[in-house]
Amino acid sequence: MTSGTDNPRDTVEHLFALYQEHGSEDYIGEPVSQLEHMWQAAALAEAEGYDDEVVLAAFFHDLGHLCAAQEEADSMAGFGAVNHEKLGADYLRACGFSERMAQLVESHVVAKRYLTFKYPHYLRQLSPASLATLAFQGGVMTPSEAAAFEQNPDADIIIQLRRWDDLAKEEGLPTGDLAHFKDMALRHLTTQLA
């Protein structure tokens, strides 16, 4: 993992190089690539009118899988990297992105655990790959964990991010030029480093 530089443009270029290098790889048992999945999640967030910070969190939510491809990381039986949410969040922190964005990225797995506790039907709706990874991610939340999660001021956005994650698996949807999200990331990072 590399940390940010004093030059936001260089940092963003390095970050998006991960997408260019690993984005076409299989998205852990789903019918889309890594890039298609993250693109679709961000497009859903943007279509719903969320701000750049949330849209970027949707785009970067599975960044940890790309980071893991760069280094040795424990696997979830072929379904991506264990703790990918933390790998991605820590990468964003090291680059200088906002703590809120990093926390949103880090929390999308927690949201899955919460939703499986709060809504038992949600568990039955998970894709086979998402269901397989749940055991590696701590399983269904306990009542006390769920009560603590509900106190998070961003709980609703974290849950929405999880829903975009679940929906962002549509085969055959085209992705656009990465320049749109690169520009958004550059604006955000420049503001953070100012």
Side-chain angles (χ1 to χ4, degrees):
M1 185 182 308
T2 189
S3 58
T5 67
D6 290 333
N7 184 328
R9 188 171 303 280
D10 289 347
T11 300
V12 169
E13 287 298 327
H14 188 271
L15 171 58
F16 277 81
L18 291 173
Y19 286 86
Q20 292 164 340
E21 186 174 349
H22 301 290
S24 63
E25 294 173 8
D26 175 58
Y27 176 61
I28 56 168
E30 301 290 358
V32 293
S33 70
Q34 294 278 355
L35 178 58
E36 288 169 330
H37 173 64
M38 291 187 256
W39 184 280
Q40 288 177 25
L44 289 165
E46 196 166 33
E48 291 185 30
Y50 281 86
D51 63 36
D52 287 359
E53 192 171 46
V54 174
V55 172
L56 287 169
F59 186 75
F60 293 138
H61 79 275
D62 275 341
L63 174 64
H65 290 303
L66 305 184
C67 295
Q70 297 291 105
E71 56 188 62
E72 290 295 317
D74 293 334
S75 172
M76 294 183 287
F79 290 105
V82 174
N83 294 324
H84 75 280
E85 68 280 11
K86 181 162 177 32
L87 285 172
D90 287 347
Y91 186 97
L92 293 170
R93 287 181 181 106
C95 287
F97 287 93
S98 73
E99 179 59 26
R100 181 174 182 245
M101 184 193 301
Q103 287 180 7
L104 291 174
V105 167
E106 195 164 8
S107 298
H108 77 279
V109 168
V110 172
K112 177 167 75 170
R113 295 185 62 228
Y114 172 77
L115 289 169
T116 57
F117 164 81
K118 188 76 172 178
Y119 306 104
H121 68 278
Y122 178 81
L123 182 64
R124 294 187 297 274
Q125 295 173 340
L126 290 177
S127 71
S130 194
L131 190 58
T133 59
L134 181 61
F136 290 95
Q137 296 165 335
V140 176
M141 271 190 178
T142 65
S144 62
E145 287 174 321
F149 172 79
E150 290 168 349
Q151 299 306 307
N152 186 321
D154 277 331
D156 289 342
I157 293 174
I158 294 166
I159 289 169
Q160 191 58 45
L161 179 61
R162 181 72 220 176
R163 294 193 191 285
W164 297 324
D165 185 3
D166 291 334
L167 293 170
K169 299 171 184 176
E170 291 293 322
E171 197 170 5
L173 289 183
T175 58
D177 187 350
L178 281 178
H180 173 65
F181 293 118
K182 282 175 82 170
D183 290 345
M184 190 182 290
L186 182 59
R187 283 193 310 270
H188 175 81
L189 187 57
T190 301
T191 301
Q192 291 301 304
L193 298 176

